[in-house]
């Protein structure tokens, strides 16, 4: 069955979906790590976000390859479509997490699942089993199911449904404003110098709390009603200003 185009390209699409799942949930919503969090010399937040963008662009390319292959095979009915495609998606989704754990976490060491955990290996293993081994085994079992396809299809669909709800629930939970975070995160224009940033903060009576080494991203203590005015002083994104600010909207210091 794995020689069918539905399964080959379905696995490729599932692989890219696994990458998107990790990138959106871990890099942006939960902010547990970035792609190159543990790489020496890549401490600037702009560089970290840039490489996260390159990572997502690569996942788009892989997804396009998978979708292109599935489109070419859309007239084929050999072996059925639903069961082979779903099993391939599950296998590809699981393979991404296995490859990410082995290469990124343990061999290359460019990041871990939860960097601020006292037991990063435990989080690596939990993530590997929940989103790597379980979908991989479920997809492989579905592919080998033969005549028991409908029952196994329902079980595998349930697994994907549970993963979807778990992701949505974790995302909704992570987007809640922390009750102990009174500060505002601001990203200034790349051409704004340190003097201009300090002048902007001074004009709004904002107190600097933290900044990255380049002062491109700063955390300030400013009155909520003055946040909008930061856009008049060179800000590109301001958390808590009513504009969706992406992965740092409720960043903690």
């Amino acid at each position: 069955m794995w020689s069918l185009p539905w399964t080959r390209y379905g696995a490729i699409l599932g692989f890219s979906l696994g990458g998107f799942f990790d990138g959106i949930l871990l890099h942006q919503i939960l902010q547990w790590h970035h792609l190159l969090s543990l790489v020496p010399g890549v401490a600037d937040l702009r560089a970290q976000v840039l490489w996260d963008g390159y990572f997502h662009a690569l996942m788009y390319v892989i997804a396009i390859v998978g979708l292109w292959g599935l489109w070419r095979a859309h007239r084929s009915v050999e072996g059925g479509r639903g069961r082979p495609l779903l099993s391939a998606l599950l296998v590809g989704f699981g393979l991404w997490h296995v490859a990410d754990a082995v290469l990124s976490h343990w061999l290359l060491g460019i990041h871990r699942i939860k960097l601020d955990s006292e037991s990063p290996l435990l989080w690596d293993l939990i993530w590997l089993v929940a989103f790597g081994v379980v979908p991989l085994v479920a997809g492989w079992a579905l592919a080998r199911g033969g005549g028991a396809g409908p029952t196994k299809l329902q079980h595998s669909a349930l697994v994907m449904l549970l993963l979807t709800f778990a992701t949505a629930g974790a995302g909704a939970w992570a987007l809640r404003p922390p009750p102990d975070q009174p500060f505002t995160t601001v990203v200034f224009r790349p051409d704004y110098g340190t003097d201009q940033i300090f002048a902007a903060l001074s004009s709004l009576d904002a107190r600097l709390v933290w900044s990255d080494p380049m002062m491109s991203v700063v955390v300030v203590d400013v009155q909520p009603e003055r946040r909008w005015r930061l856009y008049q002083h060179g800000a590109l994104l301001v958390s808590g200003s009513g504009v969706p600010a992406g992965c740092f909207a409720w960043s903690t210091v």
Side-chain angles (χ1 to χ4, degrees):
M1 190 189 75
W2 290 103
S3 61
L4 297 176
W6 283 105
T7 53
R8 290 200 305 270
Y9 291 106
I12 292 175
L13 181 59
F15 188 88
S16 69
L17 292 177
F20 280 127
F21 174 86
D22 272 11
I24 294 171
L25 182 63
L26 297 177
H27 299 183
Q28 297 179 314
I29 296 178
L30 296 178
Q31 301 177 54
W32 284 357
H33 68 255
H34 293 285
L35 178 66
L36 303 182
S37 288
L38 298 180
V39 175
V42 192
D44 181 51
L45 184 57
R46 285 184 181 273
Q48 293 285 353
V49 173
L50 176 64
W51 279 99
D52 285 348
Y54 289 151
F55 167 76
H56 283 114
L58 175 61
M59 291 301 106
Y60 269 113
V61 172
I62 296 174
I64 289 171
V65 172
L67 290 171
W68 173 79
L70 291 174
W71 178 80
R72 290 190 60 191
H74 76 284
R75 296 183 181 276
S76 172
V77 296
E78 183 182 359
R81 297 180 184 179
R83 182 170 59 85
L85 180 56
L86 180 57
S87 64
L89 287 171
L90 285 167
V91 168
F93 187 90
L95 280 176
W96 159 259
H97 289 89
V98 172
D100 185 48
V102 174
L103 292 177
S104 301
H105 304 168
W106 302 331
L107 293 182
L108 299 178
I110 59 177
H111 64 252
R112 307 296 289 269
I113 288 296
K114 202 170 191 306
L115 290 176
D116 59 355
S117 170
E118 295 181 357
S119 303
L121 178 59
L122 177 62
W123 279 98
D124 289 349
L125 294 175
I126 290 174
W127 206 264
L128 172 63
V129 172
F131 300 108
V133 175
V134 171
L136 189 60
V137 171
W140 194 264
L142 179 62
R144 296 172 58 89
T151 300
K152 293 186 178 293
L153 181 61
Q154 294 174 0
H155 291 169
S156 297
L158 179 61
V159 171
M160 291 298 292
L161 186 62
L162 291 174
L163 289 176
T164 301
F165 279 117
T167 305
W173 171 80
L175 287 174
R176 297 180 306 165
D180 58 346
Q181 178 57 287
F183 303 125
T184 300
T185 306
V186 187
V187 174
F188 282 98
R189 285 165 33 189
D191 60 340
Y192 248 52
T194 302
D195 293 340
Q196 292 172 294
I197 293 175
F198 276 117
L201 299 181
S202 177
S203 67
L204 299 177
D205 196 23
R207 179 175 64 90
L208 180 65
V209 177
W210 175 90
S211 74
D212 72 336
M214 304 296 295
M215 282 202 73
S216 55
V217 180
V218 301
V219 178
V220 299
D221 184 4
V222 63
Q223 293 296 323
E225 62 272 13
R226 297 178 183 173
R227 289 170 177 166
W228 279 103
R229 294 174 58 189
L230 285 163
Y231 288 109
Q232 302 173 359
H233 295 273
L236 294 177
L237 289 173
V238 181
S239 69
S241 62
V243 177
C247 61
F248 73 95
W250 295 110
S251 296
T252 57
V253 179

